[in-house]
Amino acid sequence: MKKSLKIISFLITTAILFTSCKSKMASEKDSFSKGADVGWLPQMEATGYKFYDADGSQKDCLQLLKDRGINTIRLRVWVNPNDDKASGHCSPEETVVMAVRAKKMGMRIMIDFHYSDSWADPGKQNKPAAWAKHSFPELLTDVYQHTYDVLKMLKKAGVTPEWVQVGNEIPGGMLWPEGSIDNFSQLAQLLNKGYEATKAVDPKMKVIVHLDEGNKNEKFRWFFDKATENNVKYDVIGLSYYPFWLKTDYKENISDLENNLKDMASRYNKEVMVVEVGGDYTLEENTKEMLEATIKAVKSVPNNKGLGVIYWEPQGEKSWSGYQLNAWLPDGKPSPALDAFKN
């Protein structure tokens, strides 16, 4: 009888441990963000572009992405954009519609504020036309109010984003010239207004500060040391990683990306995330391997501080967008490169 009780006890303990491990593994799997930025999607659909699965059946693009392991959708928002199919749209209202649609698919949401009427990136950080003649104190109010209003609209529609980017690829600052890194104290105030507006809508939303060239540690240390000196408030360091634009193969600098991710997490005690990544759509296997390596690099950050990896406009097929770093085939089907997100 005693032996039977020992066996039963052992089996119960084993079952509990197995369930616990399984639960932990599922939790870790669910918590890692595998994402796609799909700002072009509504315009693609409006112009009649059709999306197809590998078997040739027509499907919703978000479903195709979900089937390949994508669990997060990133959406840019512009202040007063024009209606150009590729460099317009993404207004606050359009962003809300898209966010609601993505949430209904079970996706997590990231909102990327450009604080511009069109693209903001390292080469251009143009103020919205409506803010062009505003004084610096007025710009602080603009950033706060715009951020607050958009996030409030989203929340009213039933979507509370998990992450909010205050600025898009801002190694040189944003809202030039007032928010240039030449005026870092002013840039810090603008970033903090975005942070404060986000937390006023919901303190659980995590605020991201985002730079390009995620493999360049010196660049990131300079910026985030200055951010620390100027008391910038944020939760997550966001990185872009595009070997294509660096004119290299990923094998030449993936270790630099990994080292920078780990350094950012430990040096500033922040979570880190690759919020933009992409590879040449014609090099399917290379792009898939690059994605696998990037995911591995982010997951290697200690203490679960590596949050995820987001592909920029994977569905933006070349014939529609002209964009080389999409991950879609000319016949309207997803590239096999996206299977990197399945694992």
Side-chain angles (χ1 to χ4, degrees), residues 227-248:
T228 302
E229 287 170 25
N230 287 274
N231 301 308
V232 174
K233 294 179 280 190
Y234 63 100
D235 304 303
V236 180
I237 293 174
L239 308 86
S240 291
Y241 179 57
Y242 293 108
F244 181 90
W245 299 123
L246 300 167
K247 295 180 169 55
T248 65

Side-chain angles (χ1 to χ4, degrees), residues 33-36 38 41 60-75 98-110 158-163:
S33 170
K34 295 178 286 185
V38 295
L41 179 56
D60 179 276
C61 178
L62 292 184
Q63 186 61 53
L64 291 169
L65 291 169
K66 188 174 181 178
D67 291 344
R68 280 148 187 83
I70 298 296
N71 61 19
T72 299
I73 294 298
R74 178 179 186 254
L75 300 168
M98 195 66 209
V100 169
R101 176 178 163 188
K103 191 194 173 190
K104 283 179 179 174
M105 295 282 293
M107 301 291 199
R108 302 155 77 182
I109 307 296
M110 178 186 294
V159 179
T160 300
E162 200 165 333
W163 304 278

